[in-house]
Amino acid sequence: MAYFDAASAVPLHPVARQGLLASLDDGWADPARLYREGRKARILVDAAREAAAEAVGCRADEVVFTSSGTRAVHTGVAGALAGRRRVGRHLIVSAVEHSSVLHSADAHEADGGTVTQVGVGRAGLVEPGAYAGALREDTALACLQSANHEVGTVQPVAAVAEVCRAAGVPLLVDAAQSLGWGPVEGEWSLLTASAHKWGGPAGVGLLVVRKGVRFAAQGPSDERESGRAPGFENIPAIVAAVASLRAVRAEAAQEALRLRELTERIRSRVPELVPDVEVVGEPGRRLPGIVTFSCLYVDGEALLHELDREGFSVSSGSSCTSSTLTPSHVLRAMGVLSEGNVRVSLPPGTAEADVERFLDILPGTVAAVREKLGAPAPATAVREDVLVVDSLGKRCPIPVIELAKVFPTVPLGGLVRVLSDDEAARLDIPAWCEMRGQEYVGEEKAERGCAYLVRRLT
């Protein structure tokens, strides 16, 4: 089985396993106690904190170990907002942040705060100027991921941090996807990360709060982790997490070159091997191991199941997968095709032969899914000079399939009106138009759902 979902979780690194087992004997006691067993546990925690600080590029007393990366985000956002409440209650996030950041923003808004979402282009990249334009006198905090978890786009953190620093606003960086590859550049103020993203054990997160940043931990606290992460530390897991971070960093430069070559191979060959595919994400500024593409006329869940049967573990941001009924918020913000979406994220050590086998089986797999899915005979009617395609009650990718099947019958300059109540159509029909060189006229309200207008240009 080829595991191609490293953006979700990386298999436990051998060094993490060794560190976990080695620290079980000495890392079980309370590190806050002064007796011998407590001192042994404290030595392990202190050494892990020093090593984590070195990897991040900060002071050891700025590092807090949390129970997960999500907990680090929630704690960091809430604490920074509370610490700067006198300034105001305005929060800035990008539209493609990890759900943990967006959930924190939702909670802040529900509590009376205000939130500005900064949009992105079709490559998923934010513009530093957009952050500058979103800053206000009452802005308490800005958040920006170092790299996107779905399409691999690396964000201009240093430039955004400089914009925020000039305005006196702290920037929280979610570095979950990138920290294993190297430290985050720029004058950021807070940073979060998650150990299972680089081969450490699940259940360990990092929260870094720079000295001088106003921070007020929310909720009940105790004397542990500077009062910012209450509860007994999982010392063996912390030791294993930091040990694996140091190990992957030592291998990062060489492994990044190898994985970039493999993902570039996928990016360039998939459109050659499979018709009607859109490769998404920034082609240059990207993480080494992530490549994402979407296939027209394909059900995302069916495609993932077929790839799983062929021995490949991948993920998807399509709305037609079992875990969601709406397209990925990342793909939606980018305005790219969402149907038949596949994210390939290669873990360190991925064999070249596995990538080649993936490219060998992908065309037949996509073709088989398209053939099995078929295309129901579209219900059509002529309304003056507009061809109407009724796809109400049909899920992705049926509306686009029905549009494509009737389109050859439309005269040049003619319009097609696609009726759909599937949210994915709002992304997929304009994406189809761009791929086909046709004009997407826009949408209008219908008695049920929406009507999407497409004009034939070629």
Side-chain angles (χ1 to χ4, degrees):
M1 191 76 180
Y3 180 76
F4 284 2
D5 194 23
S8 294
V10 175
L12 196 66
H13 194 284
V15 170
R17 187 182 303 275
Q18 294 169 6
L20 186 67
L21 294 175
S23 59
L24 285 174
D25 288 338
D26 289 335
W28 56 269
D30 187 345
R33 301 296 175 239
L34 298 179
Y35 42 70
R36 179 179 302 173
E37 293 84 358
R39 294 197 303 272
K40 288 182 179 179
R42 171 55 61 186
I43 289 171
L44 290 176
V45 174
D46 288 346
R49 201 182 311 278
E50 290 280 354
E54 182 181 358
V56 170
C58 66
R59 293 169 41 154
D61 58 359
E62 296 172 335
V63 175
V64 171
F65 295 113
T66 66
S67 58
S68 68
T70 294
R71 173 51 59 193
V73 166
H74 292 172
T75 301
V77 171
L81 287 170
R84 286 175 49 82
R85 188 156 185 163
R86 289 185 180 180
V87 172
R89 304 201 64 201
H90 179 231
L91 171 65
I92 302 173
V93 300
S94 84
V96 293
E97 294 299 311
H98 186 268
S99 58
S100 61
V101 174
L102 298 184
H103 291 161
S104 290
D106 290 343
H108 176 62
E109 202 164 29
D111 191 42
T114 57
V115 177
T116 297
Q117 273 200 12
V118 174
V120 297
R122 285 185 65 85
L125 198 65
V126 304
E127 290 292 336
Y131 267 75
L135 289 166
R136 307 187 327 205
E137 288 186 0
D138 63 338
T139 302
L141 178 68
C143 300
L144 178 63
Q145 60 192 192
S146 56
N148 188 261
H149 49 292
E150 290 195 28
V151 299
T153 298
V154 173
Q155 302 292 1
V157 172
V160 172
E162 178 57 28
V163 166
C164 292
R165 187 196 64 78
V169 174
L171 177 69
L172 183 149
V173 178
D174 171 17
Q177 290 296 332
S178 72
L179 194 61
W181 296 109
V184 177
E185 297 181 352
E187 296 298 319
W188 47 265
S189 303
L190 302 97
L191 179 142
T192 62
S194 188
H196 71 276
K197 301 290 188 180
W198 65 67
V204 179
L206 288 182
L207 169 62
V208 179
V209 182
R210 295 281 201 191
K211 291 297 180 184
V213 174
R214 292 187 177 277
F215 191 94
Q218 300 301 285
S221 63
D222 56 29
E223 73 280 3
R224 301 178 190 280
E225 296 301 307
S226 304
R228 294 171 180 173
F232 202 100
E233 300 94 336
N234 186 344
I235 297 172
I238 289 171
V239 171
V242 177
S244 60
L245 178 57
R246 296 185 69 179
V248 298
R249 280 288 192 81
E251 307 158 354
Q254 183 175 353
E255 189 62 15
L257 290 174
R258 201 179 67 85
L259 290 186
R260 284 190 191 281
E261 192 281 327
L262 293 178
T263 51
E264 185 54 38
R265 193 179 307 182
I266 297 172
R267 284 183 64 85
S268 61
R269 288 181 57 186
V270 165
E272 298 172 354
L273 296 169
V274 182
D276 301 316
V277 163
E278 182 179 15
V279 180
V280 301
E282 169 64 33
R285 291 177 54 91
R286 57 186 305 99
L287 289 173
I290 298 180
V291 57
T292 306
F293 56 89
S294 299
C295 308
L296 274 173
Y297 321 134
V298 168
D299 178 278
E301 184 168 5
L303 181 55
L304 262 60
H305 283 317
E306 290 302 318
L307 289 171
D308 183 57
R309 290 190 185 98
E310 293 287 348
F312 293 96
S313 302
V314 299
S315 64
S316 172
S318 292
S319 62
C320 40
T321 51
S322 59
S323 61
T324 180
L325 295 177
T326 59
S328 144
H329 70 276
V330 172
L331 300 179
R332 186 168 63 244
M334 293 167 62
V336 297
L337 182 68
S338 74
E339 68 185 45
N341 178 259
V342 174
R343 179 186 68 183
V344 174
S345 48
L346 308 178
T350 296
E352 180 180 0
D354 286 338
V355 171
E356 285 299 323
R357 189 167 69 85
F358 176 78
L359 292 170
D360 286 342
I361 65 96
L362 183 66
T365 303
V366 173
V369 171
R370 284 172 172 163
E371 183 178 359
K372 287 180 181 178
L373 184 65
T380 62
V382 176
R383 193 195 72 176
E384 299 177 352
D385 59 343
V386 179
L387 182 67
V388 179
V389 177
D390 186 355
S391 292
L392 292 169
K394 300 170 184 177
R395 296 300 177 192
C396 71
I398 299 301
V400 182
I401 290 178
E402 294 188 338
L403 168 64
K405 288 181 74 69
V406 304
F407 209 72
T409 68
V410 178
L412 289 177
L415 285 174
V416 179
R417 189 171 187 261
V418 183
L419 299 176
S420 176
D421 50 6
D422 181 15
E423 180 67 22
R426 182 167 281 110
L427 288 179
D428 294 346
I429 290 176
W432 181 89
C433 292
E434 181 157 328
M435 294 172 72
R436 285 289 183 267
Q438 310 300 338
E439 179 186 359
Y440 176 65
V441 178
E443 67 176 84
E444 59 186 28
K445 287 190 177 298
E447 186 175 344
R448 285 178 54 205
C450 286
Y452 302 94
L453 292 173
V454 178
R455 188 185 309 279
R456 184 176 181 184
L457 300 181
T458 60

